[in-house]
Amino acid sequence: DSGVTQTPKHLITATGQRVTLRCSPRSGDLSVYWYQQSLDQGLQFLIQYYNGEERAKGNILERFSAQQFPDLHSELNLSSLELGDSALYFCASSVEDRAMDIQYFGAGTRLSVL
Amino acid sequence: AQKITQTQPGMFVQEKEAVTLDCTYDTSDPSYGLFWYKQPSSGEMIFLIYQGSYDQQNATEGRYSLNFQKARKSANLVISASQLGDSAMYFCAMREGRVFGNEKLTFGTGTRLTIIP
């Protein structure tokens, strides 16, 4: 158990809908990262938050947004969902945001858009 | 250009043998971290081992060791005495350290390891 909690584990929804994925980082970790894993794109970095503030953005669509709350949990919001958004979404956390900091991953949320 | 290259899409290894999974990387940043993760069929990503660019010695964690050759920009994962439970997808990843806002992990395409009894 990595200590990173993601809910829900599975999500099935329809095109055009909006969903929220939730992540609780390991106790004491300040950085939260979101990654998307799909068959065609592999593992892609979406966005990072550090202590409540956005730190880095990757290949995140405009339909997607995220935030980190004062208790350091994070949410990833996906709206106007398309079939191609079906993927495994991971949250990871690390103590700080240095190159040597290990990112521990949650078990992922598997999103299926029908 | 690919920052992380894993050239072995799949490998089959006999149980109890050692296995080496290849990883080469590309960066001009002198400060970086290299990571290996395991993804079993259940889907979770499990951290295995870390090597820092300034580390003088190769990292080891139990049956896992990282063969770090800085000049060749390679960071191969060695698993000794393989077990059936080692069957999984293995990802090499890098994080560059000096550029602000570049804290993400960049992953390779992975190697699917199958251990044969």
Side-chain angles (χ1 to χ4, degrees), chain B residues 1-116:
Chain B
Q2 292 290 331
K3 291 217 168 191
I4 296 286
T5 303
Q6 294 181 254
T7 56
Q8 307 152 310
M11 287 186 71
F12 290 84
V13 172
Q14 207 73 39
E15 190 181 6
K16 296 180 185 161
E17 288 186 352
V19 56
T20 297
L21 305 181
D22 295 341
C23 172
T24 57
Y25 60 92
D26 182 28
T27 181
S28 57
D29 193 330
S31 174
Y32 53 90
L34 296 160
F35 304 79
W36 277 92
Y37 288 86
K38 172 184 178 181
Q39 187 175 36
S41 56
S42 50
E44 70 268 34
M45 291 287 285
I46 302 167
F47 165 75
L48 294 178
I49 196 166
Y50 161 81
Q51 181 84 43
S53 59
Y54 295 117
D55 292 344
Q56 295 296 314
Q57 294 191 329
N58 287 342
T60 59
E61 288 284 352
R63 294 186 300 112
Y64 304 108
S65 60
L66 201 151
N67 185 359
F68 181 46
Q69 297 189 44
K70 198 168 182 176
R72 293 186 178 184
K73 293 190 174 178
S74 77
N76 298 339
L77 176 70
V78 180
I79 306 174
S80 63
S82 56
Q83 303 170 356
L84 295 178
D86 294 332
S87 293
M89 197 76 167
Y90 288 80
F91 291 96
C92 179
M94 176 176 66
R95 186 177 183 189
E96 293 159 299
R98 205 164 63 164
V99 177
F100 182 79
N102 200 27
E103 291 82 4
K104 66 181 185 298
L105 283 173
T106 300
F107 286 87
T109 51
T111 295
R112 184 169 298 282
L113 176 64
T114 303
I115 307 299
I116 305 165

Side-chain angles (χ1 to χ4, degrees), chain A residues 33 35 37 97-98 100 103, chain B residues 37 39 43 50 95 105:
Chain A
Y33 312 78
Y35 293 86
Q37 185 179 31
D97 61 351
R98 300 161 300 187
M100 75 277 289
Q103 293 184 26
Chain B
Y37 288 86
Q39 187 175 36
Y50 161 81
R95 186 177 183 189
L105 283 173

Side-chain angles (χ1 to χ4, degrees), chain A residues 58-100:
Chain A
N59 301 319
I60 188 166
L61 300 171
E62 284 191 13
R63 299 183 286 108
F64 295 1
S65 64
Q67 53 184 328
Q68 186 179 29
F69 295 87
D71 67 352
L72 299 179
H73 92 270
S74 178
E75 292 181 356
L76 179 67
N77 300 297
L78 315 176
S79 61
S80 302
L81 285 168
E82 301 174 0
L83 296 177
D85 297 327
S86 295
L88 185 54
Y89 291 84
F90 285 109
C91 166
S93 74
S94 65
V95 173
E96 292 279 342
D97 61 351
R98 300 161 300 187
M100 75 277 289

